[in-house]
Amino acid sequence: MAAKDSPKLGLYSYWQSSCSWRVRFALNLKGISYEYKAVNLLKGEQFTPEFEKLNPLHFVPVLADGDVFISDSYAILMYLEEKYPRRPLLPSLLPSNPQHKALNLQVASIVSSSIQPLHMLSTSKYLGEKVGPQEQLLFAQTNVEKGFHALEKLLKNIVGKYATGDEVYMADVFMAHQIAMATERFKIDMSKFPSLSRIYESLKAIPEFLESSPEEQPDAVK
């Protein structure tokens, strides 16, 4: 996390939170230093009165910028893009091309609205208790694949290393962790999604993505 801006931001995060992962990736890409503030979801620290003041929905991540607190990863990335726009040492999360910008926002919306909420910790726990682990896994797999089929159709004709060309943008930030979780946690067969697989292979080689991965976080359980 190279320090290029001050004062330092704070990120309330949990190492296995996929939404926190995408914010960490974005901060790393922009070279923005931040203080990691661990919130242990398994211990219920998100339900403390202190954290409820930061996010009444009790979700991570939350970005602290002085006395400003932003929750929801989509809102956080848009905030970072507005406050830290493209500069020589600060890449943009959105391209200048209007069509590609809209495509990035559409991909981000699909991941954050139509895929991730259907397999988040609280949803999975509820389904596991109601219908059992097998149906819980099938539900997650079905909805992840539904979203991936949509993303595959949107991106299959894009030429370049990443989602919308040869630079990493918001679409990549939202997809990277989602594909990682799909393969590791839900055992999704990515051979059905060649465009997504190609993009993910490129993203896996980026140091900023590797540094943002769960096992590299200070609260990771080894």
Side-chain angles (χ1 to χ4, degrees):
M1 304 171 204
K4 296 193 175 65
D5 287 87
S6 60
K8 184 180 291 185
L9 302 176
L11 180 66
Y12 292 82
S13 174
Y14 178 61
W15 69 290
Q16 287 186 311
S17 161
S18 58
C19 295
S20 298
W21 188 352
R22 70 175 70 122
V23 175
R24 296 193 300 258
F25 185 20
L27 287 164
N28 290 351
L29 284 171
K30 280 186 168 290
I32 302 172
S33 63
Y34 63 94
E35 180 183 357
Y36 191 100
K37 299 176 179 291
V39 180
N40 192 319
L41 302 187
L42 296 183
K43 291 183 178 180
E45 292 178 357
Q46 70 273 32
F47 297 111
T48 64
E50 293 77 15
F51 189 80
E52 186 171 12
K53 293 177 182 178
L54 306 178
N55 184 5
L57 280 176
H58 309 110
F59 294 151
V60 292
V62 174
L63 184 75
D65 184 7
D67 58 357
V68 175
F69 297 92
I70 306 101
S71 57
D72 185 273
S73 60
Y74 198 112
I76 291 172
L77 264 63
M78 295 302 293
Y79 177 83
L80 293 174
E81 184 66 4
E82 289 289 332
K83 184 163 185 179
Y84 304 95
R86 181 187 291 274
R87 299 204 298 260
L89 296 178
L90 288 178
S92 176
L93 294 175
L94 290 170
S96 56
N97 179 290
Q99 181 180 358
H100 284 179
K101 181 178 181 179
L103 183 56
N104 272 270
L105 294 173
Q106 186 177 1
V107 170
S109 181
I110 288 172
V111 173
S112 64
S113 300
S114 301
I115 301 178
Q116 191 273 331
L118 297 175
H119 66 69
M120 63 191 298
L121 181 62
S122 57
T123 304
S124 296
K125 182 179 179 182
Y126 177 83
L127 285 172
E129 292 172 351
K130 293 295 182 180
V131 299
Q134 288 299 112
E135 287 297 322
Q136 173 193 23
L137 177 61
L138 180 60
F139 179 85
Q141 289 173 331
T142 299
N143 285 287
V144 169
E145 290 198 359
K146 179 182 177 181
F148 279 10
H149 280 297
L151 294 175
E152 182 72 20
K153 290 178 180 178
L154 283 172
L155 302 175
K156 68 177 182 179
N157 294 322
I158 299 293
V159 177
K161 292 176 63 178
Y162 307 112
T164 54
D166 289 325
E167 292 188 54
V168 179
Y169 289 120
M170 189 178 290
D172 303 289
V173 173
F174 272 78
M175 288 197 304
H177 77 279
Q178 186 63 70
I179 296 173
M181 292 192 66
T183 55
E184 296 168 13
R185 182 177 168 189
F186 303 122
K187 310 303 178 187
I188 300 295
D189 178 10
M190 291 302 297
S191 66
K192 294 183 286 187
F193 311 104
S195 296
L196 301 191
S197 296
R198 172 184 55 79
I199 293 166
Y200 183 59
E201 287 303 311
S202 297
L203 291 169
K204 285 198 301 182
I206 299 176
E208 291 86 352
F209 176 62
L210 298 175
E211 291 167 6
S212 68
S213 63
E215 59 272 14
E216 296 298 320
Q217 306 316 305
D219 58 335
V221 177
K222 305 298 184 179

